[in-house]
Amino acid sequence: MATDPFPVVLVIDDDPDIRALIEDLLSPDEYRVVSAEHGAAALRLIAREQPDVILLDVNMPIMDGPAFIRAYRETAPPHAPIICMTAGHNAAQRSREIGADTHLGKPFEVPDLYDAIARSVPRAA
């Protein structure tokens, strides 16, 4: 989707520590990370730059995860896969209910983060 040489990962989370952690974990020679503190800010960002995958928190002020997904799906395609980041034993079910493509439980293990992104953004051989 993006014209960037590396897949663009959009992180939408109201916790600045989570945004910084993910940016630090994802190698700049493999991914380019952009972030937003809530869904409304993410929609403004997407209007300028198309991500390849979206990591989305569910509970945020201003525009939460479910509201973001509804608004994002109404925008013109293409649409990036959405990985819902949420805590709780029913994370998979909650992610499906709100329309995410897959989920990543919080707190997450670093290999799980890499796996979720790799499954959502296939690499060219």
Side-chain angles (χ1 to χ4, degrees), residues 10-118:
L10 170 57
V11 181
I12 310 169
D13 198 305
D14 61 320
D15 185 335
D17 293 333
I18 296 287
R19 294 192 313 266
L21 173 67
I22 293 171
E23 187 167 351
D24 288 346
L25 289 172
L26 297 180
S27 171
D29 57 347
E30 292 183 58
Y31 299 100
R32 188 165 66 82
V33 179
V34 295
S35 65
E37 64 276 9
H38 53 73
L43 289 172
R44 289 190 298 271
L45 185 83
I46 290 168
R48 298 185 315 269
E49 176 169 20
Q50 183 61 244
D52 293 291
V53 65
I54 298 170
L55 293 170
L56 175 68
D57 187 21
V58 173
N59 298 313
M60 297 175 287
I62 302 178
M63 179 183 273
D64 65 7
F68 168 80
I69 290 176
R70 286 190 300 275
Y72 179 60
R73 299 284 192 220
E74 291 176 2
T75 64
H79 294 123
I82 297 173
I83 302 169
C84 180
M85 300 185 299
T86 188
H89 66 281
N90 62 346
Q93 177 183 345
R94 177 73 174 130
S95 297
R96 283 190 302 274
E97 289 171 356
I98 66 170
D101 296 290
T102 190
H103 74 284
L104 179 65
K106 277 184 169 180
F108 55 82
E109 298 292 327
V110 174
D112 296 335
L113 172 67
Y114 291 133
D115 289 346
I117 292 171

